[in-house]
Amino acid sequence: IVLLIAAVGVGVYIFLNMSNSSTPKIVVTPKEVEIEAGSTPSSNIEDYATFSGVSSSQCSLDTSSITDTSAVGTEYTFTITCNSVAYNGTAKIVDTTAPVVVLKQVTVQVGGEVSPEDFIDACTDPSGECTYEFSEPSTVNGYLATAANYHVDIVVRDSAGNEITVTGTMIVTQEEVPDMY
């Protein structure tokens, strides 16, 4: 009888341990999220966390606190809820994209002056700021001595340090050019 009671006790102990270990532990690990400035935050929950012991489809994502994606450097919180347990993470607004530039042709008289800004028709960037400089200022100054058509490289940067080099067209002429600026 004692052996029978001991065997039943060991059986119950093993059964309970096996049933506890068969329930997977739920682990939700929020990721370090970066959202490109000016873009719409992703609605894909797997972009925000890794999941173990639970399917991401059984969880919900709340990004309602992410209100202004143009504010580079701003951090927002997001919440993932699985089985009534909330997991919080942080999303940071970043600018990793170079500005988009539209150029215009510049005509200048021999011996005249020209600046990089003269070539820019539009510059679009989420940061709202673009700066311009000639790639080779001394070469551009040399072009101003002789009438011809030239290609001029201009470096365009945004406030986050992203840059692009664009090539504008400069026509240097002997004829008088009306002041358009």
Side-chain angles (χ1 to χ4, degrees), residues 60-75:
S60 64
L61 171 66
D62 179 8
T63 59
S64 62
S65 70
I66 304 173
T67 56
D68 183 7
T69 62
S70 67
V72 176
T74 304
E75 291 187 356

Side-chain angles (χ1 to χ4, degrees), residues 42-46 48 59-64 78-81:
S42 170
S43 60
N44 182 355
I45 194 168
E46 292 184 7
Y48 294 87
C59 302
S60 64
L61 171 66
D62 179 8
T63 59
S64 62
F78 60 87
T79 304
I80 296 172
T81 305

Side-chain angles (χ1 to χ4, degrees), residues 133-149:
E133 67 182 43
F134 288 124
S135 177
E136 298 179 23
S138 60
T139 301
V140 174
N141 287 334
Y143 291 162
L144 294 170
T146 307
N149 292 352

Side-chain angles (χ1 to χ4, degrees), residues 2-167:
V2 172
L3 284 173
L4 183 61
I5 293 174
V8 169
V10 168
V12 168
Y13 175 78
I14 291 172
F15 174 76
L16 290 176
N17 279 337
M18 291 181 82
S19 48
N20 283 342
S21 64
S22 66
T23 304
K25 182 177 179 186
I26 295 175
V27 177
V28 177
T29 307
K31 294 180 181 178
E32 291 184 24
V33 178
E34 292 184 342
I35 299 172
E36 186 64 33
S39 68
T40 302
S42 170
S43 60
N44 182 355
I45 194 168
E46 292 184 7
D47 290 342
Y48 294 87
T50 57
F51 299 87
S52 176
V54 66
S55 169
S56 63
S57 64
Q58 297 172 312
C59 302
S60 64
L61 171 66
D62 179 8
T63 59
S64 62
S65 70
I66 304 173
T67 56
D68 183 7
T69 62
S70 67
V72 176
T74 304
E75 291 187 356
Y76 294 99
T77 59
F78 60 87
T79 304
I80 296 172
T81 305
C82 300
N83 296 336
S84 302
V85 178
Y87 304 88
N88 294 316
T90 303
K92 184 176 185 176
I93 308 301
V94 297
D95 181 1
T96 61
T97 305
V100 176
V101 181
V102 178
L103 297 174
K104 60 185 175 185
Q105 180 176 290
V106 172
T107 302
V108 63
Q109 187 174 8
V110 171
E113 293 181 7
V114 68
S115 71
E117 290 83 359
D118 296 338
F119 293 85
I120 308 299
D121 190 38
C123 183
T124 307
D125 189 75
S127 71
E129 292 182 32
C130 296
T131 60
Y132 320 100
E133 67 182 43
F134 288 124
S135 177
E136 298 179 23
S138 60
T139 301
V140 174
N141 287 334
Y143 291 162
L144 294 170
T146 307
N149 292 352
Y150 299 99
H151 294 287
V152 178
D153 289 336
I154 303 160
V155 179
V156 181
R157 285 186 191 88
D158 64 15
S159 60
N162 303 304
E163 70 178 48
I164 186 170
T165 300
V166 294
T167 303

Side-chain angles (χ1 to χ4, degrees), residues 107 113 118 176-181:
T107 302
E113 293 181 7
D118 296 338
E176 189 172 329
V177 177
D179 185 17
M180 295 185 176
Y181 308 107

